[in-house]
Amino acid sequence: MRVLLTGHQGYLGTVMAPVLTAAGHEVVGLDSGLFADSVLGPRPADPPGVRVDLRDLTAEHVAGVDAVIHLAALSNDPLGSLAPELTYDINHHASVRLAKLARDAGVRRFLYASTCSVYGASGGDGLVTEDAPLRPVTPYAESKVRVEDDVHALADDDFTPVFMRNATAFGYSPRLRADIVLNNLVGHALLSGEVLVLSDGTPWRPLVHAADIARAFTAALTAPREAVHDRAFNIGSEINNVTVAEIAEQVAEAVSGAKVVITGENGADPRSYRVDFSRFRAAIPDFDCEWTVKQGALELADAYRKFGLTREHFEQRFTRLAVLRAATEAGTVDDTLRWRR
């Protein structure tokens, strides 16, 4: 299968591309390259691809493609809240346009990277299923809800969208992100000796390793149409439904000598939810997640030590908001996050 992978030079795409290739697919990458140099360790070998802004796609970019895996986005809550209008332009409008181009070009399957943060204000201790009310509390999560709604309307006998609501990602990727919870806490622990939690530690977070996300998308790519057509799936494992305080304790075990410090200075976080992941396992019985939070913390600590993570790396090169601010201040990227010619 010839697969267009958007965001192939991002945190998840860099992990997913070789998994798809190993499964026998021909991968074509598409990325604006904003985070292509955010590399920790050896530079990855990217699949053939094109550097283009998601807002500038044409029919040519989806010609001859069997399936699209759409990861590219402004990819977390602080970044989305910085410029909500850009979040909606890129994450919502450009994503829907890509789906329309794909459908019109005869692409059969469209896997969309959504997020469990669409349940943002669900609260409570019950497990949230895909049928639960969507209560996004940030522009990032709201943009994902809008894409799901609009792309759902495109589904027909020849075009199968699948909405993959990923839990919060963790784990090592050659193109590291330090601004997601487990990756962040492990970095703080190694660099400062403290596992620093700014909330009160009580919110629930569902977590999933980047490699398990890659495996889930690969499985959904070739699953029987009737199992996945126009359906939303939570991607993750119930064992990784943990509170932020529990994540911190796992990090302290992985980083010898680190001390958990819960300041509570940011107060209670309204984003709190435990998630049910059984629908995807029922649709694709051979799939299950392989990574636990504890294993991920150990993997990250080993990678950070091995590749010499520094505070400058941690706070600048691998934090999405810092990378874009530095690029705009240097004049290489304009205020709309487009490369200057």
Side-chain angles (χ1 to χ4, degrees):
M1 188 178 292
R2 191 166 192 259
V3 181
L4 177 66
L5 177 63
T6 75
H8 74 290
Q9 292 181 317
Y11 172 70
L12 291 179
T14 300
V15 174
M16 193 176 296
V19 174
L20 292 167
T21 300
H25 301 293
E26 177 189 354
V27 180
V28 179
L30 188 150
D31 201 295
S32 66
L34 289 172
F35 305 106
D37 294 329
S38 296
V39 175
L40 181 69
R43 192 171 185 87
D46 295 324
V50 59
R51 177 166 290 191
V52 63
D53 192 289
L54 193 63
R55 293 164 288 187
D56 299 330
L57 297 190
T58 67
E60 179 183 355
H61 294 112
V62 291
V65 169
D66 300 303
V68 171
I69 294 178
H70 182 34
L71 306 179
L74 294 181
S75 56
N76 66 355
D77 292 333
L79 187 57
S81 299
L82 174 70
E85 68 284 357
L86 289 179
T87 296
Y88 293 122
D89 283 347
I90 296 170
N91 291 13
H92 175 211
H93 299 299
S95 294
V96 175
R97 184 167 173 270
L98 169 62
K100 290 178 178 176
L101 288 170
R103 181 198 59 181
D104 293 345
V107 172
R108 305 286 294 182
R109 192 160 296 191
F110 185 89
L111 305 189
Y112 175 61
S114 190
T115 172
C116 282
S117 65
V118 296
Y119 307 120
S122 295
D125 289 337
L127 292 178
V128 176
T129 71
E130 290 85 350
D131 297 323
L134 305 185
R135 295 168 177 160
V137 297
T138 64
Y140 171 72
E142 174 65 29
S143 72
K144 297 291 188 177
V145 173
R146 293 184 185 186
V147 173
E148 287 196 23
D149 287 343
D150 291 348
V151 175
H152 159 70
L154 301 177
D156 60 26
D157 291 344
D158 299 314
F159 183 69
T160 292
V162 188
F163 308 104
M164 307 285 277
R165 294 177 181 167
N166 300 318
T168 299
F170 69 86
Y172 172 71
S173 165
R175 288 191 174 94
L176 185 70
R177 283 186 62 188
D179 52 6
I180 40 184
V181 60
L182 185 63
N183 298 10
N184 184 270
L185 292 179
V186 174
H188 269 295
L190 279 170
L191 294 170
S192 71
E194 293 184 343
V195 187
L196 185 62
V197 177
L198 300 181
S199 74
D200 61 8
T202 61
W204 287 98
R205 286 288 183 275
L207 302 187
V208 63
H209 196 284
D212 284 329
I213 293 176
R215 292 175 51 249
F217 274 72
T218 303
L221 196 62
T222 55
R225 178 183 180 277
E226 62 273 14
V228 298
H229 177 72
D230 197 25
R231 300 184 74 191
F233 294 101
N234 297 328
I235 304 301
S237 172
E238 287 82 0
I239 196 173
N240 290 334
N241 280 320
V242 285
T243 66
V244 174
E246 288 171 340
I247 298 171
E249 293 294 340
Q250 296 279 17
V251 173
E253 291 183 17
V255 181
S256 179
K259 177 183 178 182
V260 176
V261 178
I262 299 179
T263 69
E265 63 189 73
N266 288 350
D269 191 328
R271 300 168 301 167
S272 182
Y273 40 88
R274 297 172 66 228
V275 177
D276 184 307
F277 299 100
S278 61
R279 178 185 286 185
F280 193 70
R281 291 194 300 270
I284 305 178
D286 292 339
F287 177 83
D288 204 357
C289 289
E290 297 180 348
W291 285 82
T292 65
V293 172
K294 182 176 182 179
Q295 291 169 333
L298 289 167
E299 176 204 33
L300 286 162
D302 288 346
Y304 289 174
R305 293 189 187 101
K306 179 179 179 180
F307 299 126
L309 182 73
T310 67
R311 185 168 295 280
E312 185 276 331
H313 289 159
F314 185 67
E315 295 177 352
Q316 298 297 322
R317 186 183 300 177
F318 305 123
T319 299
R320 293 295 188 249
L321 193 54
V323 170
L324 294 183
R325 279 179 169 161
T328 54
E329 289 171 4
T332 56
V333 171
D334 67 21
D335 290 341
T336 68
L337 303 185
R338 293 181 183 275
W339 292 105
R340 293 186 186 276
R341 299 298 181 186

